[in-house]
Amino acid sequence: RIWKSLYVNAFENATNALPGVRGVLLAYNTNIDALKYLDKEDLEERIEKVGKKRVFELMENPPEKVTSLEELFAGILRSIKLGKAMEWFVEDRGVRNYLREWGWDELRIGGQAGIMANLLGGVYRIPTIVHVPQNPKLQAELFVDGPIYVPVFDGEFKLVHPKEAVKENEEELIHYIFEFPRGFHVFDIVAPRENRFIANADDYNAKVYIRDEFKEHFNKIVKNVDLAIISGLQVLKESYEDGTTYRDVLNEVEAQLDMLNKRNVKIHFEFAYTANKKVRGALINLLPKFTSVGLNEVELASLMEIIGDEELAREVLEGNVFSVIDAMHLLMDETGIKRIHFHTYGYYVALTQYRGEEVRDALLFAALAAAAKAMYGSIENLSQIRDALSVPTNERAFLTEEELEKEFGEVENGIIDMTDRQLAFIPTKIVASPKSTVGIGDTISSSAFVSEFAMK
Ligand code: 8BR
């Protein structure tokens, strides 16, 4: 079929174009992910020690945050019991010390900006400037070698690899990720599916802390990039104990967006699920300052709860492709944003206010990157992405393509002309037994955005 050759061509076109990107800015969230694979005996012993009865009570009445060891274990057990991903903030110093001593099996760079830095700088070899709220050694060493930079200002402005700019006295922002497999058995609890509990011991990213020098010298940073990807705003709350609100952060962000726009830097917003509705609404209002936005079905549905209606939101969540397209049009009408990239299991759609085959090729390249990420867990080089060409293309999406054809007329190699807009649709590659599905969304969005603008 045609998709096979489209995929091959897209890989060639994208990889040829990537070296042409002068620089990408990634802000704001970077942290340390500490992974621990839970061990039954160890966990049971620790729970017995702090008091099993109380832990089980708290498991049924979840506090949603951690102020004691009992609450920490209640969170872990609840996540296992429900097979649900959960993340609780760790407020207590003592619990943070306990977690640090308990340790981890593996450290990885975390935060969307941090993760994308290792992909765009480390694999695509694009000069990448990344915002690090803190730069302790433990975190700096998780950045791979390559053109990854943080700005430093001692006397003059310089861009150096995070490892060359370590600040020994800065805090380690650690997200403790407790992974468990399906069927994991602890006391009388059995995990119905694999998942993870995250104990978040990171005061900085929770408030979208922006370094002072990053604010003061932002004009110099901007001069070094063609593209920017903004992420991490999903954690914002309505107000904080110190009297500040999400507005204070968004004003700061807005000022930086204005400076980027003034220099014609194309800006992508990675829209992660934002629990607070007021913040979510404020983020929609910020979208006119962006060129592009990336989201999945949960995120698009959550926006329809605000600018659409409950029914449209539900249909999007169920994956109805026509509802997805309606929702994308609505979001474009409301915000004027030029590019919306939707991704879900099995297919991606991009709605743009401009035309071009590179939009589709960028989606295809992103699907190869996603499949490589699913296959290998982490991507180390472009040849792993090339390997993904041999992963079968999702055949179910061919039916979706036919439905689109019935509704919109001709679909020319994945591209539908909609008078003033273009819709690109691609069936993705699906890896049958993925090594991991963590961080695939960020891989998809950043690969598509960066490669599309590289191919222009
Ligand atoms: P989010 O985390 O933003 O939802 O992104 C996850 C994406 O990973 C999905 O939209 C889907 O396209 C992709 N994905 C998943 Br989940 N499993 C995959 C697999 N086995 N092979 C390829 N892509 C996958």
Side-chain angles (χ1 to χ4, degrees):
R1 271 195 74 121
I2 57 156
W3 287 106
K4 193 166 176 86
S5 65
L6 288 175
Y7 261 111
V8 173
N9 281 329
F11 179 81
E12 292 303 325
N13 294 344
T15 49
N16 285 336
L18 286 175
V21 180
R22 204 165 49 89
V24 183
L25 167 66
L26 303 174
Y28 296 89
N29 53 338
T30 302
N31 64 264
I32 298 162
D33 280 348
L35 276 85
K36 194 170 184 73
Y37 305 100
L38 285 169
D39 173 81
K40 172 189 165 71
E41 267 90 59
D42 177 42
L43 185 59
E44 287 182 352
E45 206 172 289
R46 284 169 188 272
I47 291 172
E48 294 283 9
K49 211 161 164 190
V50 303
K52 182 179 163 191
K53 186 160 171 285
R54 183 77 188 123
V55 170
F56 271 69
E57 280 165 17
L58 286 165
M59 175 176 75
E60 298 305 336
N61 301 292
E64 306 288 336
K65 60 181 169 45
V66 178
T67 59
S68 67
L69 286 180
E70 289 89 333
E71 289 176 350
L72 170 70
F73 290 116
I76 294 174
L77 287 188
R78 186 173 174 83
S79 182
I80 297 169
K81 185 180 166 187
L82 303 176
K84 210 179 122 184
M86 296 185 351
E87 176 165 349
W88 291 2
F89 190 75
V90 183
E91 292 182 351
D92 184 72
R93 288 273 140 206
V95 177
R96 289 187 182 187
N97 292 337
Y98 180 95
L99 284 163
R100 191 103 180 41
E101 265 164 43
W102 193 4
W104 45 73
D105 297 308
E106 205 180 311
L107 290 178
R108 284 193 204 147
I109 196 70
Q112 292 147 304
I115 293 168
M116 290 190 279
N118 275 356
L119 178 68
L120 303 186
V123 182
Y124 301 161
R125 313 300 287 185
I126 298 170
T128 298
I129 302 178
V130 59
H131 175 260
V132 290
Q134 298 280 276
N135 196 31
K137 190 159 182 252
L138 193 66
Q139 178 182 281
E141 288 179 338
L142 301 174
F143 284 106
V144 298
D145 291 330
I148 298 172
Y149 307 105
V150 293
V152 293
F153 312 90
D154 23 49
E156 57 167 339
F157 174 84
K158 271 193 294 191
L159 291 170
V160 300
H161 192 278
K163 281 190 238 182
E164 261 96 71
V166 166
K167 294 258 185 357
E168 286 297 349
N169 58 344
E170 292 194 354
E171 272 189 51
E172 292 168 349
L173 314 175
I174 308 183
H175 296 205
Y176 294 90
I177 305 179
F178 296 96
E179 301 235 14
F180 51 86
R182 191 177 135 198
F184 183 76
H185 194 167
V186 53
F187 298 118
D188 60 344
I189 297 168
V190 182
R193 53 166 293 186
E194 72 281 3
N195 226 317
R196 62 205 122 98
F197 174 79
I198 303 178
N200 179 330
D202 167 2
D203 297 309
Y204 285 75
N205 289 296
K207 286 189 184 177
V208 191
Y209 174 84
I210 307 175
R211 295 185 81 95
D212 282 341
E213 62 264 48
F214 209 84
K215 295 181 198 166
E216 283 160 25
H217 302 270
F218 196 71
N219 56 341
K220 302 189 190 78
I221 295 171
V222 172
K223 284 184 189 150
N224 289 280
V225 300
D226 300 327
L227 304 171
I229 301 178
I230 303 297
S231 60
L233 304 182
Q234 67 275 6
V235 298
L236 287 173
K237 293 198 293 186
E238 237 172 287
S239 61
Y240 294 92
E241 270 134 43
D242 60 5
T244 61
T245 74
Y246 69 98
R247 279 273 31 126
D248 297 309
V249 174
L250 293 188
N251 289 342
E252 202 67 62
V253 171
E254 213 170 325
Q256 301 200 330
L257 295 176
D258 287 340
M259 290 171 75
L260 288 163
N261 276 315
K262 213 177 257 168
R263 291 197 64 100
N264 258 320
V265 174
K266 301 280 178 278
I267 323 169
H268 174 87
F269 183 45
E270 193 49 22
F271 209 118
Y273 180 75
T274 306
N276 186 291
K277 271 202 167 178
K278 220 172 192 169
V279 175
R280 204 189 302 161
L283 294 179
I284 297 175
N285 293 334
L286 209 56
L287 283 181
K289 305 226 174 214
F290 290 89
T291 309
S292 165
V293 62
L295 27 68
N296 67 13
E297 65 282 7
V298 176
E299 291 144 9
L300 184 60
S302 78
L303 298 191
M304 290 308 111
E305 284 172 10
I306 294 179
I307 62 167
D309 54 54
E310 288 296 330
E311 193 180 329
L312 184 56
R314 191 174 42 77
E315 288 166 6
V316 167
L317 213 48
E318 286 165 359
N320 179 327
V321 70
F322 294 110
S323 304
V324 165
I325 293 169
D326 285 347
M328 292 169 82
H329 276 295
L330 186 57
L331 185 59
M332 195 169 270
D333 294 341
E334 289 283 315
T335 61
I337 198 160
K338 297 268 186 310
R339 175 181 185 273
I340 302 174
H341 175 187
F342 171 84
H343 63 88
T344 190
Y345 193 85
Y347 69 85
Y348 309 155
V349 184
L351 183 66
T352 50
Q353 293 189 38
Y354 48 85
R355 273 166 242 292
E357 297 202 329
E358 65 276 7
V359 179
R360 177 208 56 214
D361 284 353
L363 298 186
L364 291 168
F365 177 68
L368 293 172
K373 175 97 180 158
M375 250 192 308
Y376 297 107
S378 91
I379 305 175
E380 260 132 49
N381 52 56
L382 283 175
S383 76
Q384 289 176 320
I385 298 182
R386 184 196 291 275
D387 291 346
L389 283 168
S390 62
V391 174
T393 305
N394 173 29
E395 291 194 13
R396 282 183 53 189
F398 297 154
L399 301 175
T400 313
E401 194 188 350
E402 278 168 27
E403 285 178 55
L404 290 174
E405 211 140 39
K406 265 185 230 147
E407 177 72 21
F408 300 113
E410 199 182 356
V411 183
E412 172 94 34
N413 293 340
I415 293 177
I416 301 167
D417 199 346
M418 297 188 150
T419 57
D420 56 339
R421 292 174 186 176
Q422 172 181 287
L423 192 88
F425 170 91
I426 68 140
T428 65
K429 303 276 182 186
I430 292 187
V431 175
S433 39
K435 191 157 175 205
S436 151
T437 58
V438 181
I440 301 189
D442 302 334
T443 301
I444 295 169
S445 294
S446 59
S447 299
F449 173 68
V450 168
S451 66
E452 180 186 316
F453 285 93
M455 285 184 278
K456 269 197 201 304

